Each structure stands twice: as C-alpha cells, then as structure tokens.
Amino acid sequence: MTWKILLVMAAGIGLGRLASMLDPQLIETLFLVADIAIQGGLCVMLLAVGLELGGQRAILRMRPNLKMLLIPLLTMLGSILGGTIAALFLPLSFHEAWAVTASCGWYSFSGVYLTTIDPQWGTIAFLANVLRELTALLLIPHIAKWLHPYSAISVGGATAMDTSLPVLVQSAGKETTAPAFLSGLLLTLAVPFIVPLLAALTI
Amino acid sequence: MGWLLPTLLILSLVLGVALGWRFIRSETVPVWLGRLQRICLYSILLLIGFKIGLDSRVFEAAASLGLQSLILSISATAGSAFLTFLVFHFVEKRRGKKQ
C-alpha cells in the first residue's frame, strides 16, 4: 500500500513537472482546479471514512475504560511534544510542526489540508505522516516487546484501527485489539478538529 | 477560505458516521466503500503530486523538505511512544504499590 502511494505521488509529480512548462496563466488555472478537486475529494473521502466508522456498531457501543481513553490522548500529546522538540532544530514555527505531528499518521488528511494553505507545508505533512506509518509498521513489534504494548498502539497513531492493527495484534497480543481500534477511531475523529485549530495558531 | 474547509470536512465526517450508523449493517467494510475510499485516496494523491510538480519552489526544496519530514516523523513517533510508556509505567507502579 505504502509503495503504491509513493508511486502515485511520483506519477503526479511527473505530470506536474510536464505541466509546469505550460503558459504561466494556464498553470495558475491548473493550480486552482487541482485545489478545488483536492478539497472535493477530501470531503468525499471523509464521508466514506465516516460511513465506515458508523457501520462499526459494536465498537461505537463499547464502554471504554479510562486506560483505553488515555492512549489516544497520550498519543496526541506525545506527538505534539515531539513536534515541539523538532521545531527547536528545524526552520519551522511551533504551530507548523504541531499541525504536522498532531496528524498522527493520517497523511491523506493533513497532507491535503495543509497543501491548501501552503504547498510546502502540505508536502512536509504528507511525507512526515507517510514516514510515520512506515516507521510504525517497522517499530511496533520492538516497542511492544521492549517498552509497553500501549506504547506500540500509540506509535500506530490514527492507523492503529486499520493498517497497523494486524501488526499490533500479532506483536502485542489479541487483548490490544479493542484499545487499538478505539484509539485509532478517536484519533481519526479528533484530527480533523485539531489540525485546522493548530494550523490557525501563530506561534 | 478560513474555516470553510475544516467545517465542510467535519460535517462530511459527522454525516458519514450518521449515515453509516443508520444504513450500514455489516461489521466488515462493504466492498464498494473500500473501493470509494481507495479511488478518492489515489486521486487526491495524484493531484497533490501534480501540485508539488507544478510548483517549482516546492519541487526544488524537495530534499530539504524530506529531511525535515523525517525528523518530524521520528520525533512524533518517539514522543508518543515515550509519553505513553512513562504514564502507564507510573500508573502500573502505583497500582503495584497499593496492592
């Protein structure tokens, strides 16, 4: 999946490079059309994500305990903390780093949303979150073994309910299925609120 | 544009959850829904790539952006893993002492 994503992106970049040789006025129009199409596509994708979440009745009806609710909260806070430390060494302001890291691996949301504000910021968000998904898949077995099973869930971020779930269950045990799914679900619901909020800050 | 896009996105997500709750009866993701998500994802990614390629400024800064992304991804992963570890380690230690 991750390689397919990178291939599609590369194809898009190639097409964009070809189009960049066109008349500057036409380029501006293409930019605008691409922006509108991206925003429309993102709305449809979020509707589809919502449809999927709404269908998971057993999970939506589940009574979570405090421990389960702490995982997504700590995941979000830890990601923002990591972003704060990274911003000290990078040519990024705090709110720019927070908006990228608070996406918790949901690259299709943050990458697209931040691209509509600034293409450079969106590119960083997209790459950082694709890399987070890749890192999560590689590190989850080791983190589950050496740190804590719940740390492994938090590394997965928003992907704990889909792409990283099989790896999590295999390396941290079946009992992590419910907390992992719930953590991913809550982060998926929270990211569309938190990222625009952090992106609007000026720190 | 301001808050129009985030509002639209949140409304789409909430509407989706409500419609899914009402109309989707299976616990597994319906095939058409998975397909719709994949089509949206790949179209959006193609368009993002297109925009990056179209903008010479972003394209020329790709190497530096890649390094920044890598640092941000490592710090976010490490931050969430260690904070979760510290809190649960502390909670479990306190529970152990009480017992």
Side-chain angles (χ1 to χ4, degrees):
Chain A
M1 174 90 170
T2 314
W3 298 115
K4 267 191 202 167
I5 285 164
L6 293 175
L7 263 176
V8 173
M9 272 283 280
I13 292 173
L15 285 174
R17 288 315 292 160
L18 282 177
S20 69
M21 294 166 198
L22 296 170
D23 178 58
Q25 227 172 358
L26 192 59
I27 290 177
E28 228 167 272
T29 315
L30 282 174
F31 232 96
L32 197 73
V33 171
D35 242 355
I36 294 168
I38 287 171
Q39 289 166 20
L42 192 58
C43 282
V44 177
M45 202 179 74
L46 281 187
L47 186 80
V49 169
L51 280 168
E52 186 186 332
L53 295 180
Q56 310 280 332
R57 290 167 192 209
I59 302 284
L60 289 177
R61 282 199 186 113
M62 187 170 65
R63 285 206 176 163
N65 57 33
L66 184 67
K67 254 187 180 180
M68 282 186 181
L69 294 174
L70 257 180
I71 304 170
L73 182 71
L74 293 171
T75 305
M76 182 60 80
L77 289 177
S79 300
I80 293 174
L81 181 73
T84 310
I85 296 167
L88 296 173
F89 304 99
L90 295 174
L92 290 172
S93 61
F94 284 118
H95 84 281
E96 284 173 330
W98 291 339
V100 171
T101 54
S103 311
C104 295
W106 194 1
Y107 52 83
S108 49
F109 177 80
S110 59
V112 178
Y113 179 71
L114 296 176
T115 299
T116 60
I117 301 173
D118 174 14
Q120 206 156 316
W121 194 5
T123 308
I124 294 177
F126 176 79
L127 286 175
N129 285 289
V130 168
L131 285 170
R132 177 166 179 161
E133 187 180 276
L134 266 175
T135 324
L137 293 174
L138 294 172
L139 291 181
I140 282 170
H142 306 286
I143 289 177
K145 193 175 173 188
W146 299 110
L147 274 182
H148 197 286
Y150 289 169
S151 290
I153 295 176
S154 76
V155 165
T159 69
M161 63 179 271
D162 42 58
T163 40
S164 359
L165 190 61
V167 190
L168 271 166
V169 176
Q170 215 167 38
S171 46
K174 267 186 187 168
E175 57 280 5
T176 53
T177 311
F181 194 94
L182 188 75
S183 173
L185 174 80
L186 291 177
L187 286 169
T188 302
L189 292 173
V191 166
F193 288 89
I194 293 172
V195 171
L197 203 73
L198 293 173
L201 295 174
T202 42
I203 300 173
Chain B
M1 181 176 60
W3 285 95
L4 180 65
L5 182 61
T7 311
L8 277 176
L9 295 176
I10 289 162
L11 280 177
S12 306
L13 187 69
V14 172
L15 181 70
V17 172
L19 291 174
W21 177 269
R22 179 74 183 83
F23 297 110
I24 293 179
R25 304 241 172 251
S26 97
E27 283 297 312
T28 53
V29 184
V31 178
W32 65 269
L33 192 55
R35 202 170 288 162
L36 176 66
Q37 283 182 18
R38 272 196 302 279
I39 291 171
C40 283
L41 176 67
Y42 289 128
S43 321
I44 288 171
L45 291 177
L46 191 76
L47 285 166
I48 292 180
F50 183 73
K51 267 190 81 176
I52 294 170
L54 208 54
D55 192 330
S56 301
R57 239 174 1 114
V58 179
F59 187 75
E60 279 153 20
S64 115
L65 297 184
L67 183 67
Q68 288 181 47
S69 310
L70 183 69
I71 294 170
L72 281 166
S73 117
I74 292 171
S75 56
T77 307
S80 50
F82 280 109
L83 191 65
T84 309
F85 168 72
L86 284 176
V87 171
F88 280 104
H89 185 69
F90 176 73
V91 168
E92 281 163 11
K93 217 174 168 182
R94 269 188 63 163
R95 188 171 291 168
K97 267 187 187 172
K98 271 186 187 172
Q99 284 170 355

